[in-house]
Every structure is written in C-alpha cells, then in structure tokens.
Amino acid sequence: MDDPRIQRLATAFRNGERPALARAVSMVEGRRPGAEALLDALLQVRPRARRLGITGPPGAGKSTLAAGLAALLRARGEEVAIVAVDPTSPFSGGALLGDRIRMNDLATDRGVFIRSMATRGSLGGLAAATREVVDLLDAFGFPNVLVETVGVGQTELEIASAVDSVAVVLVPESGDGIQAMKAGLMEIADIFVVNKSDRPGADRLVRDLGLAMHLKAGQGTGGGASVPWDAPVLKTSAERGEGIDGLLEAFLDHHRRLLESAELERRRDRRARERIRDIVESKLRRRAADFLAADPRLPGWSADVAAGRATAYGVAAILVPDILKDAAASKGTRRAGGG
Ligand SMILES: Nc1nc2c(ncn2[C@@H]2O[C@H](COP(=O)(O)OP(=O)(O)O)[C@@H](O)[C@H]2O)c(=O)[nH]1
Ligand SMILES: [Mg+2]
C-alpha cells in the first residue's frame, strides 16, 4: 500500500477506532479512490461474524425487528452492527420493544453501529458495496452483523447471498403465503417471520406459510442448502417486543447448524468465488470501456458495421486480443497484491 493516508486509516481501523471504521465504510460505499487498496489491506482476516439478513416488503417492520434483535444481543453483552439497504425508509425508529428501548438508546450505544446505505449509482453497485461494507464490519470485529434489505429483486438476492442466515418478514396484510412462494422467497428464507401479529390475519398467514413449506418439502430439496433445515415460521410483534427472543434463538440455531455441518465454510467459499468473478468482470469491463473510448479505429469500424461492410463480431475479434495485450503490458506498473 503506497498511499500513507490509506495506511494510517488502515492502522486506526485495526486499532478499533470508530471514526476510522466510519471513514472506511464511507470510502467503500462511495467507491472513492483508495477504497480498493483499503479493502485489500483490511480484508485479510478470517471472517467470524454471524451475518444475519432480514428481508421483506417495505413497512413490514424489518428495521424495528433489527433494532429489537440488536437490543437483545446487547443485553447478552454482544456488539452488533446493522446495515440497512432500504431506499424506501431510512433506518430511524420510534418506540421499540413496547417503548422499553428507544432508538436513541441504540444510537448512543458504542456497542452498536448503524449504517444506512445510500442508493447512489446502479443497484448492482449497491449490492457490491453492501457486501464489502459487511466484510468491513466483520473485519472490524463485530460478532454480529444484521443486514436489512427491502423486497426480493435481483439486488436483494445478491445481498442475501452475502449473509449466512436470512429471515423473510411478512405481515398479515402483505397477502398470502403462496404469493411469498411465487416471489422466490421460499428459496432464500431460512426463517419466516410473520410480524405485526397484533393485527388480524396473522394466524392464517402462519398457516399458509407452513403449508407452503410442507409442499416444498414434498418436492425434495429447497434453498440450495445441503443441510436439512425446515425454515421455522415465527410470529412476532416487533412494536410490542413480542417474539423477538424467539427470532434471535432461531437465528442462533440456524447459525449453529451451518457451523456444525461445515455449510458455513461452503457458503463462505461460494461467496469468495463470486467475489473474485465479480471483481475480475468489472475490471475487464472497465478496461474494455477505457480502451474503446481511446481507440481511433472505432469510428471507422462502427460506420462499417452500421453499413453492413463488417460485423461487430469481426471487429470484436480484433479488439479483444488488443485489449488483453494492453492490459498485460500495463501490469508491470501495477501491484499484484499481497504486498
Ligand atoms: N402494529 C404493528 N406495527 C409495527 C410492528 N412492527 C413495526 N411496526 C410499525 O410499522 C412501521 C414500519 O416499520 P419499519 O420497521 O420501519 O419497517 P421496514 O420498512 O420493514 O423497515 C412503523 O411505523 C413501525 O412502528 C408490529 O409488530 N405491529
Ligand atoms: Mg427499514
């Protein structure tokens, strides 16, 4: 690492200084210069955190649940970081656990780190940045990292793949359990939570989800996991603080199961592989774009392709080796990593 500022930041981060963590997270989130070198320096530590995901539709009570879980973890003496990726509602809560704990208590607790991810740039970029922020929080030493995401789009699936255990939160008014299955939720859920169980319809949703789980079990495997695990269906009322201890237990159970069966190692390996592929792809894409932007042959070629005198395939057959050659030639001036 050549940049002395990055070096100082990395040292402060390793010393456990909170401002350094906050700065590192901002650099990574904003894809600022130096972020890559910083990650390269800081992420050479064994992952240890429990990475717990909470996903579901907007307004389902994910943030309230996350805050409740954080409060329970704190009561057990454990530190916890929360990353919220929810453009529809920034992480800010009112009364929690039936008013016994307020958001402010968490916000001023040094054992809690809360971060809302900004949604600038592409959603794909957001997923990548979120994964890296989770890695940073793990490297900083948080034993628990809660990740809140909204919905079940591609970005959420990508973020879900960055955590070890996923709780899918539904509410009575969000429709029936069969709809959840259609939305692909059955595939990613390790735990189902029916929140707002203080409202009518909760028991029906619990029943529907249980039935859907049963149908899925009849079809053989689910979730892509090689460990038998029937996602439990839990009832909570986050606002009243009911059922949150059960949710924490379910998370801890699931995590224990992953650890004991070596599935956690497999998931980490899969994540590492995806990460390598993503970074290589994005670097190649960037190189190609830079090369094309500076290549004086391109206007002539595009005219040829447009007029049918050449094809894009023929042009690419010339360009790709040139781009790779150019990349190889500039390699000597860049550090390969590892120091
Ligand atoms: N009635 C009821 N309201 C809840 C419950 N949990 C959360 N809420 C309320 O639902 C709204 C959305 O909660 P929030 O945690 O921000 O949902 P998120 O968008 O999923 O993060 C807030 O007004 C909460 O106070 C619950 O168990 N019962
Ligand atoms: Mg929220």
Side-chain angles (χ1 to χ4, degrees), residues 57-64 86 89 148 195-196 198-199 237-239:
K62 300 177 297 297
S63 295
T64 316
D86 185 350
S89 65
E148 174 193 343
N195 190 41
K196 304 199 183 179
D198 48 285
R199 293 191 177 164
S237 173
E239 215 167 48

Side-chain angles (χ1 to χ4, degrees), residues 36-110:
E36 264 185 37
L38 186 69
L39 287 167
D40 192 38
L42 292 178
L43 296 187
Q44 297 194 27
V45 288
R46 190 171 171 69
R48 280 199 309 234
R50 290 187 200 105
R51 300 167 177 221
L52 310 177
I54 302 172
T55 192
K62 300 177 297 297
S63 295
T64 316
L65 284 168
L69 288 168
L72 288 181
L73 285 163
R74 291 301 291 138
R76 297 161 57 115
E78 292 189 33
E79 302 206 331
V80 53
I82 303 175
V83 183
V85 194
D86 185 350
T88 62
S89 65
F91 199 101
S92 66
L96 299 169
L97 304 189
D99 230 13
R100 272 169 288 150
I101 293 171
R102 294 204 147 266
M103 200 60 219
N104 283 346
D105 296 338
L106 287 183
T108 55
D109 180 348
R110 272 189 55 84

Side-chain angles (χ1 to χ4, degrees), residues 37 82 99 112 150 170 202 212 218 231 236-237 273 284 287 307 331 333:
I82 303 175
D99 230 13
V112 179
V150 66
L170 298 167
T236 60
S237 173
R273 209 172 288 225
L284 285 175
R287 279 228 158 252
K331 194 179 156 197
T333 64

